[in-house]
Amino acid sequence: MGKEVERQAWSNKVEFFLSCVGYAVGLGNVWRFPYKCYRNGGGAFLIPYILMLVLVGLPCFFLELAFGQFASLGPFTIWRASPLFKGVGFASIALSVLVSIYYNVIIAYSLFYMLVTFVSFDGDVPWATCNNPWNTQFCITESIRITEDMNETQKLNITLGRMNTTCVDNILNMGGMNFTDLSYNFTQTNLSTCSYVGRYKLPSDEYFSRYVLRLHEATDFGDVGGISLKLALTLLLAWIFVFFALKNGVKSSGKIIYFTALFPYVVLVILLIRGLTLEGYMEGIKFYVIPKWEKLATPQVWVDAASQIFYSLGPAFGSLLTMASYNQFKNNCYRDAILVAVINCATSVFAGFVIFAVLGFMAHVTNQEVGDVATGGKKMSRL
């Protein structure tokens, strides 16, 4: 029989702890939690969220850490303890593969933006203005909100600027009106059909959707378009980074985790400070934190809270079993589970302030309600 290879171990307890934090804290905290929170009663959502953490998420999280640490085996071989559940090992590995594929796509987006930023180091980044070939007539960089200190002419000009002028001309001609009469007969016309309100986009939005992804070129779900060379190259670069991070097991990933687990907090703090300097940020934060207690009576709120806890802490993916399997047998994984769970939830709440400060600014610029701007997050909530 061949000699059994000794299993690697974390260099120290800090590496394992930061690996768990880096695993739990991610896109689910930044994208998914704020959307779930605003959709399910704002600050009131924290009640079912914390209850699900204590009653469901934390016990499952601790169970996987303890099981992996005790057996010192991976997510498939660990089921020697109960061969009947080998399928669970296969399923968790398959699930991790699928998640890794689309997470790396998002990393590729980040790398693409980083490279473009370096190229534009001496000037404005291309998503800062509306003067690019991919921008549309709905792209705006300044607020179009009507304020009380404006006179009637200014208000009318802004109102007309938000409308399809051809549509306005047709309605006025049909009614025998002219622009002089418009300020007096505005409420009697059907100009709401000509409004562009709700269709305005920030240049950053159009840059991502029309230049990076080229979504406007797709006619339907079956028309996926061609391969984007720029994204294909950044995706390849993302996979190369992952390879070098993992090629030596915990010996290499344990060193990289010092950066990957801590740097996101630096970025979140910077983004929050920036968000608090933008106009309209307070409306976004109010929308985020003001509780709507009546939402707690609906079952969907509790379902969303449970799904968010499972998605964020990540039990049943096999990753926790794997990371804990490299621990010393007597490591205090109970303490680690509690600390990681608390840090994860606190990060989610903190990231909500960052996201909704920016959403408040977007609503201010595009003259929309925060709820209308934030509905785009529904797409992200399914990640």
Side-chain angles (χ1 to χ4, degrees):
M1 294 180 64
K3 184 179 180 181
E4 185 175 350
V5 179
E6 183 179 356
R7 191 170 182 81
Q8 291 182 338
W10 298 104
S11 299
N12 53 64
K13 295 180 180 180
V14 176
E15 290 184 0
F16 167 70
F17 178 76
L18 290 180
S19 295
C20 290
V21 171
Y23 171 72
V25 175
L27 296 175
N29 303 78
V30 178
W31 279 349
R32 203 170 189 270
F33 174 81
Y35 173 74
K36 294 290 186 182
C37 195
Y38 108 84
R39 192 180 73 168
N40 294 296
F45 181 69
L46 293 177
I47 295 177
Y49 181 71
I50 293 174
L51 285 176
M52 291 299 174
L53 169 67
V54 174
L55 298 178
V56 182
L58 183 55
C60 291
F61 193 81
F62 170 61
L63 175 63
E64 287 209 23
L65 291 186
F67 191 25
Q69 183 172 306
F70 176 82
S72 294
L73 295 171
F76 177 66
T77 53
I78 200 171
W79 293 108
R80 295 173 186 171
S82 181
L84 181 65
F85 292 99
K86 279 186 177 181
V88 175
F90 277 119
S92 62
I93 292 172
L95 187 61
S96 294
V97 170
L98 293 175
V99 172
S100 298
I101 290 173
Y102 81 70
Y103 259 64
N104 254 25
V105 171
I106 298 172
I107 293 174
Y109 294 157
S110 303
L111 290 173
F112 176 79
Y113 273 78
M114 182 181 70
L115 293 174
V116 173
T117 302
F118 288 153
V119 172
S120 308
F121 195 78
D122 292 332
D124 290 334
V125 290
W127 56 84
T129 66
C130 293
N131 302 321
N132 303 289
W134 57 83
N135 291 128
T136 67
Q137 59 181 319
F138 306 115
C139 180
I140 58 173
T141 57
E142 298 179 355
S143 175
I144 55 172
R145 188 175 297 271
I146 296 176
T147 60
E148 294 297 330
D149 59 337
M150 295 180 179
N151 58 44
E152 293 302 319
T153 302
Q154 291 174 322
K155 293 180 180 180
L156 183 58
N157 288 336
I158 291 178
T159 302
L160 291 175
R162 293 187 239 155
M163 294 185 175
N164 183 329
T165 54
T166 303
C167 176
V168 172
D169 288 339
N170 291 336
I171 290 179
L172 292 179
N173 292 333
M174 289 174 60
M177 298 169 54
N178 54 44
F179 281 95
T180 307
D181 302 322
L182 185 59
S183 60
Y184 301 101
N185 298 279
F186 187 79
T187 58
Q188 300 174 4
T189 64
N190 192 27
L191 292 178
S192 59
T193 58
C194 304
S195 178
Y196 282 154
V197 174
R199 302 178 65 180
Y200 289 112
K201 302 292 184 182
L202 294 178
S204 56
D205 187 346
E206 292 200 336
Y207 179 80
F208 182 67
S209 62
R210 295 179 61 84
Y211 178 74
V212 179
L213 300 182
R214 302 206 302 260
L215 294 179
H216 63 290
E217 297 179 7
T219 56
D220 53 42
F221 184 78
D223 178 20
V224 296
I227 296 177
S228 172
L229 183 61
K230 56 182 180 293
L231 291 182
L233 292 176
T234 51
L235 180 59
L236 175 62
L237 185 61
W239 279 109
I240 291 174
F241 286 159
V242 171
F243 170 77
F244 281 104
L246 300 179
K247 71 183 184 71
N248 293 324
V250 294
K251 296 300 182 183
S252 57
S253 64
K255 302 300 182 290
I256 295 173
I257 200 65
Y258 286 101
F259 174 79
T260 58
L262 298 177
F263 184 69
Y265 289 96
V266 177
V267 175
L268 282 176
V269 171
I270 294 173
L271 290 177
L272 179 62
I273 294 173
R274 173 55 179 159
L276 296 180
T277 64
L278 300 174
E279 291 184 280
Y281 78 92
M282 185 55 69
E283 293 303 315
I285 291 180
K286 286 180 181 178
F287 191 90
Y288 172 53
V289 300
I290 294 178
K292 301 176 182 63
W293 301 111
E294 66 277 7
K295 289 280 190 177
L296 296 181
T298 59
Q300 187 60 43
V301 174
W302 299 85
V303 172
D304 284 349
S307 66
Q308 175 59 27
I309 285 295
F310 271 98
Y311 187 91
S312 186
L313 290 179
F317 282 79
S319 305
L320 296 175
L321 288 171
T322 302
M323 291 188 294
S325 68
Y326 298 109
N327 272 341
Q328 299 296 327
F329 186 78
K330 293 186 178 181
N331 178 64
N332 190 348
C333 59
Y334 174 71
R335 174 202 59 200
D336 292 339
I338 293 177
L339 289 177
V340 170
V342 171
I343 291 173
N344 171 68
C345 294
T347 303
S348 295
V349 175
F350 180 74
F353 286 97
V354 176
I355 296 300
F356 275 88
V358 177
L359 288 177
F361 166 72
M362 293 174 63
H364 174 79
V365 173
T366 58
N367 197 32
Q368 298 181 76
E369 297 297 328
V370 177
D372 295 331
V373 175
T375 51
K378 188 172 183 179
K379 302 171 186 176
M380 300 302 181
S381 71
R382 300 193 178 100
L383 290 178

